[in-house]
Amino acid sequence: MAYRLEGPVLEGRLVRLEPLEQRHAGELARAVEEARDSYGFTWVPRAEEVAGYIEAQHARAADGRLAPYAQIAVASGRAVGVTAYWEPRMLPDTDVLFAVEIGFTWLAASAQGTGVNAEAKLLLFQHAFEQWGVARVDLKTDARNARSRAAIAAVGARFEGVLRRSGQSWVPGEDGGLRDAAIFSIIDSEWPQTGAALRERVAGYT
C-alpha cells in the first residue's frame, strides 16, 4: 500500500498527543495500574507488558495502517494513556484517503472524566477532517461496553449499528472469541457543527 498513516504531534490545552515511543513506557506502566475497573472490554496491558505492547503497536504501524499515540496530560506532563489512527481507506485505485478509524484508546483512571478524552478526540477529528480532508472518521467498541459507547456518543459521533462477530474479543475468558462491535462515525458534512459542540464542551473543563 502506497499510503502510510503518519500522525504528527497534536497539541491541546489539556492533552498533547505524541507518537508512541518506548520513552513513554514507564509512565504508562504506572497509569495502567491505577485502577482497571473500566478495562473489561478493551486491550490494556499490565504494567510489565507495556514495553511489549508498544513494540506490538510499532509492528502494526510498520505497514502504514496504524499511527499510535501517547496521551500526555498537559497539567502533569505525564503519559496517561494511548490512542491511535488506524485502518486508513483510500478511494479505489488511488492513494486518496477518504476514511480513517480512531481506536486502541485507553486512559488511566485518574484521567477519565477530566476532559482529556474529549480534547484528544477533538484534536484527532480536527486533523483528520481539516488537514487530511477525510470524508469519514469511524470509532468502534464492543457492543456490550455501555461506558465506551456513551463516551463515543458524547464526543458527537453517531451510532450506525452493530457489526456482528466482526472482530476479536478482549474480554477475559473469551480468548480466541469474536465480539459484536458497535460502530459510530462522524462525516465531513457534520464536522463543522459537531466540532463546534465538542470545542465548547472541552472549553468547559478547567
Side-chain angles (χ1 to χ4, degrees):
M1 184 183 71
Y3 186 89
R4 298 185 60 81
L5 273 180
E6 293 182 359
V9 173
L10 300 174
E11 185 87 35
R13 181 174 59 88
L14 304 173
V15 65
R16 182 174 64 257
L17 301 181
E18 299 178 352
L20 181 65
E21 302 291 348
Q22 285 294 349
R23 63 188 174 85
H24 299 118
E27 292 172 354
L28 291 174
R30 289 190 289 275
V32 296
E33 297 299 342
E34 287 184 1
R36 298 182 62 88
D37 298 355
S38 63
Y39 298 159
F41 296 97
T42 308
W43 178 38
V44 182
R46 302 301 308 221
E48 65 273 14
E49 299 168 337
V50 167
Y53 174 94
I54 294 172
E55 288 182 9
Q57 292 297 72
H58 284 180
R60 290 181 177 86
D63 68 357
R65 298 189 64 81
L66 178 78
Y69 280 105
Q71 301 195 62
I72 312 299
V74 171
S76 66
R78 295 194 301 270
V80 295
V82 301
T83 192
Y85 286 122
W86 72 303
E87 291 295 341
R89 277 104 71 199
M90 275 64 66
L91 294 174
D93 302 319
T94 76
D95 293 331
V96 177
L97 180 71
F98 80 93
V100 71
E101 187 167 335
I102 293 170
F104 291 100
T105 301
W106 56 263
L107 278 175
S110 62
Q112 296 173 22
T114 64
V116 166
N117 178 65
E119 188 174 51
K121 293 299 191 298
L122 173 61
L123 294 170
L124 292 165
F125 293 150
Q126 184 171 277
H127 187 78
F129 285 115
E130 298 177 15
Q131 301 303 316
W132 289 341
V134 300
R136 173 185 175 93
V137 176
D138 303 335
L139 303 98
K140 289 201 293 281
T141 189
D142 192 300
R144 298 166 291 180
N145 191 344
R147 182 187 183 119
S148 179
R149 290 177 66 158
I152 293 171
V155 297
R158 295 192 183 186
F159 174 63
E160 294 188 331
V162 173
L163 302 177
R164 297 177 299 166
R165 296 179 58 79
S166 62
Q168 180 176 349
S169 172
W170 300 105
V171 174
E174 294 184 359
D175 297 351
L178 298 175
R179 71 176 189 177
D180 294 348
I183 186 164
F184 295 75
S185 72
I186 299 173
I187 60 173
D188 50 358
S189 61
E190 298 165 348
W191 172 241
Q193 182 176 355
T194 300
L198 188 51
R199 289 184 188 95
E200 184 176 350
R201 180 184 171 202
V202 170
Y205 287 97
T206 59

